[in-house]
Amino acid sequence: MSNPDTPHQVPALDVSGLTVRYGPVTALDDVSMTIRPGRICGLIGMNGSGKSTLFKSIMGLVRPTAGRVTIAGHDTAHARSRGLLSYVPQAEDVDWQFPISVREVAMTGRYGRQNLFRRITARDNSAVDDALAQVGLTELADRQIGRLSGGQRKRAFVARGIAQGAEILLLDEPFAGVDKRSEATIIDLLTDLAAAGRTVLISTHDLSTLPSFADEAVLLMQRVLVHGTPEEALRPENLALAFGVDVTERRDHPTRTDAEVGR
């Protein structure tokens, strides 16, 4: 885990009174949360709880009905133009048949720092080389992205964020469809990034591993139900609020894990 907060830091991410409606449907209702630099925050909640909408709002891809998002003291548009944000999408949001190599995926993180002609400089190549080395994909740099394993694909998109120089990484279900070894590799990588001052917001259904790497957790159900330590968020009575789980039933079946509740 990363180091504790330093007083008087400008928040890496500050969400205040965020409400998002799609017609008559309220996806987010008065969501407020603050994450300090160098922290790993787990975002947990059932499908339809608003996690993806929150990510899209932070990225500026969804116009809020009310409220605001501030990234390192900047509005979302300014933060994106400066390359402060990087997003690792869910697997189903990516066309894995697209003819692009691992190195080219990482290089897309440099686009905001290139001129209109996308001319690749020595600095771009060095940044991508360093990023691929950090995620352990140097030897697979020329492989088409769809030919990687699930865990390798996730690491390729993390490499894009590293090459970009993003201060805040948003990861949407990075452990879905990956084996335990790949999951451990991704966790180690994110922990190293947080120790270096990067901020990570990560949605996950794998609740059992959350306390091992996250500094804090947000339990979401259109609104923020809990924002505290992972252990606090994973208390049975809080999970009951978010997932509709009968706490008495859970006590009658002690072998049922938190990870199973989240799936």
Side-chain angles (χ1 to χ4, degrees):
M1 295 187 190
S2 59
N3 295 326
D5 294 341
T6 300
H8 310 303
Q9 282 180 315
V10 174
L13 174 63
D14 188 23
V15 178
S16 179
L18 187 68
T19 297
V20 177
R21 296 191 181 96
Y22 300 114
V25 177
T26 299
L28 295 175
D29 183 14
D30 195 26
V31 168
S32 294
M33 54 186 283
T34 299
I35 305 175
R36 298 286 176 180
R39 305 280 284 178
I40 300 177
C41 180
L43 181 63
I44 53 180
M46 65 188 297
N47 291 337
S49 64
K51 300 190 300 296
S52 293
T53 297
L54 179 57
F55 277 135
K56 292 175 182 177
S57 299
I58 294 170
M59 289 295 296
L61 302 177
V62 169
R63 182 184 296 274
T65 306
R68 62 176 176 80
V69 176
T70 303
I71 309 296
H74 305 284
D75 62 42
T76 299
H78 186 60
R80 288 188 66 186
S81 69
R82 292 187 57 192
L84 299 180
L85 280 168
S86 181
Y87 176 54
V88 179
Q90 293 190 46
E92 56 265 31
D93 294 335
V94 178
D95 179 5
W96 299 114
Q97 303 305 314
F98 192 78
I100 187 172
S101 70
V102 173
R103 183 178 185 79
E104 288 169 331
V105 168
M107 187 62 74
T108 62
R110 301 294 300 173
Y111 283 180
R113 301 179 183 276
Q114 296 171 346
N115 60 30
L116 293 176
F117 300 103
R118 297 279 186 259
R119 183 172 296 167
I120 297 174
T121 66
R123 179 173 293 182
D124 294 329
N125 282 322
S126 178
V128 168
D129 288 342
D130 289 345
L132 292 176
Q134 286 187 59
V135 303
L137 292 178
T138 299
E139 295 183 357
L140 300 177
D142 295 325
R143 184 168 295 185
Q144 192 268 337
I145 186 69
R147 295 178 57 207
L148 300 185
S149 69
Q152 290 168 339
R153 292 174 181 179
K154 299 291 186 182
R155 282 187 277 151
F157 279 90
V158 173
R160 180 181 65 178
I162 296 173
Q164 177 181 322
E167 296 182 12
I168 302 169
L169 286 84
L170 310 177
L171 295 95
D172 199 355
E173 299 292 347
F175 306 135
V178 306
D179 57 46
K180 286 298 181 182
R181 182 175 180 180
S182 293
E183 180 177 322
T185 299
I186 294 170
I187 288 174
D188 288 344
L189 174 61
L190 297 179
T191 302
D192 288 344
L193 291 173
R198 310 284 178 91
T199 303
V200 179
L201 178 61
I202 174 173
S203 71
T204 179
H205 281 108
D206 191 355
L207 307 187
S208 61
T209 62
L210 190 66
S212 69
F213 67 88
D215 300 295
E216 56 194 84
V218 169
L219 190 58
L220 190 69
M221 186 61 181
Q222 279 74 55
R223 308 188 71 170
V224 174
L225 302 178
V226 176
H227 185 182
T229 66
E231 290 78 11
E232 182 181 1
L234 296 178
R235 288 175 184 168
E237 60 269 26
N238 290 331
L239 291 177
L241 294 174
F243 294 100
V245 178
D246 188 323
V247 177
T248 302
E249 178 185 350
R250 281 174 51 81
R251 289 172 179 166
D252 291 340
H253 298 82
T255 59
R256 193 178 185 199
T257 66
D258 287 337
E260 291 173 317
V261 172
R263 292 192 178 105

